[in-house]
Amino acid sequence: MEKSILITGGAGFIGSHVVRRFVKKYPDYRIVNLDKLTYAGNLGNLRDIEHMPAYVFVRGDIMDGDLVERLFEQYRFDGVIHLAAESHVDRSISNPLEFIQTNIIGTFILLNAAKKAWAGQEDGKLFYHISTDEVYGSLGDTGLFTEQSPYDPRSPYSASKAGSDHLVRAFFHTYGLPVVITNCSNNYGPNQFPEKLIPLCINNIKHSKPLPVYGKGENVRDWLYVEDHAAAIDVVFHRGKAGETYNIGGNNEWKNIDLVRRLCTIMDRELGRAEGSSEKLITFVKDRAGHDLRYAIDASKIRDELGWTPSVHFDEGFAGTVGWYLQNGQWLQEVTSGDYQKYYESQYLRKT
Ligand code: NAD
Ligand code: DAU
């Protein structure tokens, strides 16, 4: 094997795209996917590559230090790409403890295992931590987040991600662990769990259910196609400089209400429904507590230093994403049965 890599959270939304990319593009790499399979993890996301000889799936918790150390001993990892996390802001508001545990303590346990396994042999090793633009807080109507923007997290989710970023940098400065961090904007694409805005609205339009838009729908997000994020992760893993941070974004800002309206137009067309029928489902609901107004990324550092830019145009990526969810009704049905219904009721029925 040319390299041995631990990918955490590889059964989730972004992780599954990263695992697929690495397994297919680098058949000489051993890829070990460590995932606890929480409600957000789904091995169905990886059916097409699970038979590949250099791919190994391990069901386990990043909080399990003994397991993580055993995996380091068994597979002699050269790199870690750490995506495992609790990732949904609304859940972090109602149940913050899990976010502190997985995102902060879980990251600490992985860092500690890498430090121990790589002591004195750090050359050629890399601990790559995947983070979010939300650590920078909220922008007003203008400006962009750069790598120098001060941290100002405002939700338990973003605070836990900020805490994990700080720990990763502390391991670089204190122990010389070779680390790199990327902070990315909102991803969209196939396999995203339908608690997040785009797949939630696709699912609700399909079933003619209300589309819950928080507040007035004025909040702005910068959307990036998930495979472009996976491509950026590939570039940073191979060419990023240890100790550095790179911001990743789509240069593609949308107000939530405009995005949802655009989705309604595409869905009417795809489902053969009368123009304007899905828009009637839009329902303004109680705002998210501490709702950040706007995120937008300056991704010039990764462009100038590593040559990465997004390649999928939003029109193409968005229409393709809608098409994927409509063609994969079974996937959507499976992930929205059971516990999802309880989550949906507790999150939304009090709001509408
Ligand atoms: P996701 O919620 O879809 O997937 C998370 C995965 O981590 C799941 O497979 C889950 O089973 C696994 N996991 C959770 N806790 C675990 C634990 N204790 N041990 C092992 N596995 C565990 O998340 P996502 O949207 O794919 O995000 C992946 C990463 O990218 C996260 O770190 C997130 O903060 C970051 N990120 C996400 C976005 C986005 O728009 N989704 C943007 C920027 C950064
Ligand atoms: O910016 C990167 C972040 O993007 C990632 O770090 C997070 O893991 C990811 O979940 C995402 O966070 P957001 O909170 O921006 O994504 P979400 O899809 O939950 O919401 C997008 C916007 O839509 C946000 O302004 C809240 C709003 N919203 C969301 C939901 C679920 C609604 O108006 N209604 C909804 O039902």
Side-chain angles (χ1 to χ4, degrees):
M1 288 283 125
E2 201 182 311
K3 271 185 197 290
S4 179
I5 302 172
L6 173 64
I7 299 184
T8 69
F13 167 46
I14 302 170
S16 60
H17 289 271
V18 174
V19 166
R20 178 174 300 99
R21 183 182 179 95
F22 273 67
V23 166
K24 285 190 159 177
K25 191 170 165 193
Y26 305 109
D28 291 337
Y29 289 8
R30 175 181 290 116
I31 301 297
V32 178
N33 172 10
L34 172 62
D35 196 301
K36 184 179 169 184
L37 298 182
T38 67
Y39 76 93
N42 181 355
L43 289 180
N45 295 347
L46 292 166
R47 283 279 175 264
D48 56 324
I49 58 97
E50 65 187 4
H51 61 282
M52 302 284 269
Y55 171 68
V56 180
F57 173 70
V58 178
R59 183 173 191 177
D61 194 328
I62 58 167
M63 301 264 292
D64 182 345
D66 291 340
L67 169 67
V68 171
E69 286 192 18
R70 268 204 316 277
L71 292 177
F72 267 89
E73 271 166 34
Q74 184 176 354
Y75 293 107
R76 311 239 160 244
F77 299 123
D78 305 293
V80 176
I81 305 179
H82 173 36
L83 296 112
E86 287 295 333
S87 69
H88 190 40
V89 174
D90 293 323
R91 288 187 192 251
S92 83
I93 295 168
S94 45
N95 191 9
L97 181 59
E98 268 183 286
F99 286 70
I100 306 309
Q101 286 167 334
T102 288
N103 298 0
I104 302 182
I105 301 174
T107 301
F108 169 76
I109 284 168
L110 288 168
L111 285 164
N112 228 10
K115 168 179 165 273
K116 194 170 158 192
W118 296 343
Q121 310 169 55
E122 287 86 0
D123 254 18
K125 308 288 196 300
L126 188 66
F127 188 103
Y128 180 0
H129 178 60
I130 308 297
S131 192
T132 170
D133 60 359
E134 301 200 10
V135 297
Y136 299 124
S138 182
L139 291 164
D141 291 335
T142 58
L144 299 171
F145 294 132
T146 72
E147 289 79 2
Q148 280 72 47
S149 297
Y151 274 38
D152 185 21
R154 288 140 180 266
S155 72
Y157 164 68
S158 53
S160 69
K161 292 296 290 187
S164 63
D165 292 9
H166 291 317
L167 279 171
V168 172
R169 287 196 187 94
F171 270 67
F172 172 75
H173 291 293
T174 309
Y175 306 114
L177 190 76
V179 305
V180 72
I181 299 178
T182 51
N183 297 85
C184 187
S185 64
N186 287 62
N187 286 214
Y188 71 96
N191 302 105
Q192 187 169 31
F193 194 79
E195 62 191 350
K196 308 280 166 69
L197 180 67
I198 292 175
L200 184 142
C201 287
I202 293 174
N203 192 37
N204 283 15
I205 293 174
K206 199 174 151 187
H207 296 102
S208 300
K209 283 167 64 178
L211 306 179
V213 174
Y214 296 166
K216 295 181 180 157
E218 297 283 311
N219 305 68
V220 174
R221 298 291 182 266
D222 172 1
W223 293 94
L224 176 71
Y225 191 59
V226 63
E227 286 184 10
D228 272 330
H229 190 185
I233 289 171
D234 185 352
V235 166
V236 172
F237 181 74
H238 288 98
R239 301 213 302 277
K241 200 167 153 235
E244 294 290 316
T245 294
Y246 302 89
N247 281 353
I248 303 172
N251 197 18
N252 177 38
E253 292 181 48
W254 284 82
K255 261 190 196 166
N256 291 341
I257 186 63
D258 296 337
L259 185 82
V260 173
R261 287 203 174 109
R262 172 80 171 267
L263 179 63
C264 289
T265 306
I266 299 176
M267 290 287 285
D268 284 346
R269 198 178 58 220
E270 291 294 317
L271 296 171
R273 292 184 183 166
E275 208 180 305
S277 55
S278 297
E279 271 206 30
K280 293 195 189 117
L281 298 170
I282 292 176
T283 310
F284 292 97
V285 299
K286 187 166 172 268
D287 209 352
R288 175 184 277 174
H291 196 173
D292 290 336
L293 177 65
R294 177 172 164 261
Y295 307 141
I297 283 280
D298 174 352
S300 55
K301 177 175 173 183
I302 187 171
R303 180 195 64 207
D304 296 346
E305 295 186 12
L306 303 180
W308 175 88
T309 51
S311 68
V312 178
H313 192 277
F314 189 65
D315 290 342
E316 182 199 335
F318 201 44
T321 298
V322 172
W324 185 88
Y325 284 97
L326 294 180
Q327 281 154 25
N328 289 273
Q330 177 80 10
W331 183 94
L332 203 48
Q333 201 182 327
E334 274 168 23
V335 299
T336 52
S337 61
D339 278 353
Y340 178 82
Q341 293 304 331
K342 282 186 228 143
Y343 165 77
Y344 192 87
E345 281 162 27
S346 69
Q347 178 64 27
Y348 291 102
L349 294 190
R350 64 189 162 78
K351 287 189 169 191
T352 45

